[in-house]
């Protein structure tokens, strides 16, 4: 399989510090998502996962979690759900790690990193398009062991129009992501949702998107 997407800046020197999160998540003039938008997104992800699991969601792994705001919104609707956030930002984990159960980890380390459970819902939202290709493919190779339920992989691609951070954005075509997600064992449902290998038999043909 050809894993070479179009060349782009990797943003290797990019700093995910307090100034970054203030700009994109708190400043009302520049933030990309409000708390109401996040609440709707979390509710949607939980509903889709519970539909296919046929039970309440009990565990969520949030890869590239930033400050863990997904987990904060999750606690409002599923207070007993176990949430674990992973991020490479020393600032975010240092500030919110204990309170929101965040751990420091680079994306590529998911090729080998395992936990004492696999997860009902694996979230990776607004992250992969900033990860260098080699690290992204390495991390994706471990996703099938990390999740037995639903993946929510929100990714922007070459040709998409969106408002937000463009520093280090990697302009990969949608076809490239579809290919590597399938290689990782995840079948597309649409709206950024994917069935893990364990649940691929739970969907009918028309529920699956372009397989």
């Amino acid at each position: 399989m050809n894993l070479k997407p179009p060349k782009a800046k990797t943003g290797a020197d990019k700093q995910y510090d307090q100034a970054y999160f203030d700009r994109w998540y708190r400043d009302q003039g520049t933030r990309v998502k409000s708390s109401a938008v996040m609440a709707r997104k979390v509710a949607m992800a939980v509903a889709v996962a519970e539909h296919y699991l046929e039970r309440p969601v009990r565990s969520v792994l949030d890869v590239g979690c930033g400050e863990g705001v997904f987990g904060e919104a999750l606690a409002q609707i599923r207070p007993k759900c176990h949430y674990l956030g992973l991020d490479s930002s020393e600032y975010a984990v240092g500030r919110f790690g204990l309170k929101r159960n965040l751990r420091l980890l680079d994306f590529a380390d998911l090729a080998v990193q395992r936990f004492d459970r696999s997860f009902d819902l694996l979230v990776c939202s607004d992250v992969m398009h900033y990860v260098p290709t080699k690290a992204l493919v390495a991390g994706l190779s471990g996703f099938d062991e990390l999740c037995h339920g639903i993946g929510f992989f929100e990714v922007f691609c070459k040709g998409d129009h969106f408002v937000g951070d463009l520093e280090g954005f990697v302009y990969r075509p949608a076809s490239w992501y579809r290919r590597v997600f399938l290689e990782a064992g995840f079948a597309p449902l649409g709206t950024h949702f994917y069935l893990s290998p364990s649940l691929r038999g739970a969907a009918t043909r028309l529920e699956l998107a372009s397989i």
Side-chain angles (χ1 to χ4, degrees):
M1 180 177 70
N2 182 11
L3 297 177
K4 294 182 179 180
K7 292 183 179 180
K9 295 180 180 179
T10 63
D13 297 325
K14 189 172 181 178
Q15 297 297 310
Y16 292 96
D17 53 13
Q18 182 172 348
Y20 176 88
F21 288 97
D22 284 344
R23 178 183 181 185
W24 295 112
Y25 294 91
R26 277 184 284 274
D27 189 306
Q28 292 190 6
T30 57
R31 69 183 184 186
V32 292
K33 295 182 180 70
S34 67
S35 58
V37 170
M38 177 57 70
R40 289 194 296 270
K41 182 179 295 188
V42 171
M44 177 179 67
V46 168
V48 172
E50 292 183 345
H51 172 73
Y52 285 97
L53 289 166
E54 299 183 335
R55 60 168 173 78
V57 165
R58 298 175 187 142
S59 58
V60 175
L61 177 64
D62 188 359
V63 175
C65 64
E67 295 180 335
V69 292
F70 191 102
E72 292 292 283
L74 176 69
Q76 298 300 310
I77 59 173
R78 295 293 182 273
K80 295 183 180 180
C81 182
H82 172 71
Y83 172 85
L84 173 62
L86 307 173
D87 203 272
S88 62
S89 169
E90 294 185 2
Y91 152 75
V93 175
R95 180 173 179 180
F96 297 104
L98 290 177
K99 179 181 178 182
R100 299 179 179 176
N101 199 30
L102 314 183
R103 301 291 181 268
L104 193 66
L105 194 74
D106 288 330
F107 193 97
D109 293 337
L110 293 170
V112 295
Q113 178 66 56
R114 298 296 178 266
F115 304 95
D116 60 357
R117 66 170 82 198
S118 67
F119 293 80
D120 291 338
L121 176 60
L122 173 55
V123 175
C124 191
S125 177
D126 196 15
V127 173
M128 294 187 195
H129 39 255
Y130 300 117
V131 180
T133 298
K134 184 176 180 180
L136 177 58
V137 173
L140 283 171
S141 71
F143 271 29
D144 61 336
E145 293 185 56
L146 295 170
C147 176
H148 57 261
I150 294 290
F152 178 64
F153 309 151
E154 185 180 21
V155 182
F156 294 108
C157 306
K158 182 180 180 180
D160 287 337
H161 299 284
F162 66 96
V163 177
D165 181 18
L166 291 177
E167 182 182 349
F169 185 91
V170 184
Y171 290 87
R172 304 181 179 105
S175 59
W176 189 88
Y177 284 105
R178 291 191 183 103
R179 187 164 63 247
V180 295
F181 291 161
L182 282 171
E183 288 287 330
F186 286 78
L189 286 167
T191 320
H192 299 302
F193 289 102
Y194 296 82
L195 284 173
S196 70
S198 299
L199 278 184
R200 287 194 60 163
T204 63
R205 290 180 182 273
L206 283 179
E207 286 178 276
L208 297 176
S210 302
I211 287 187

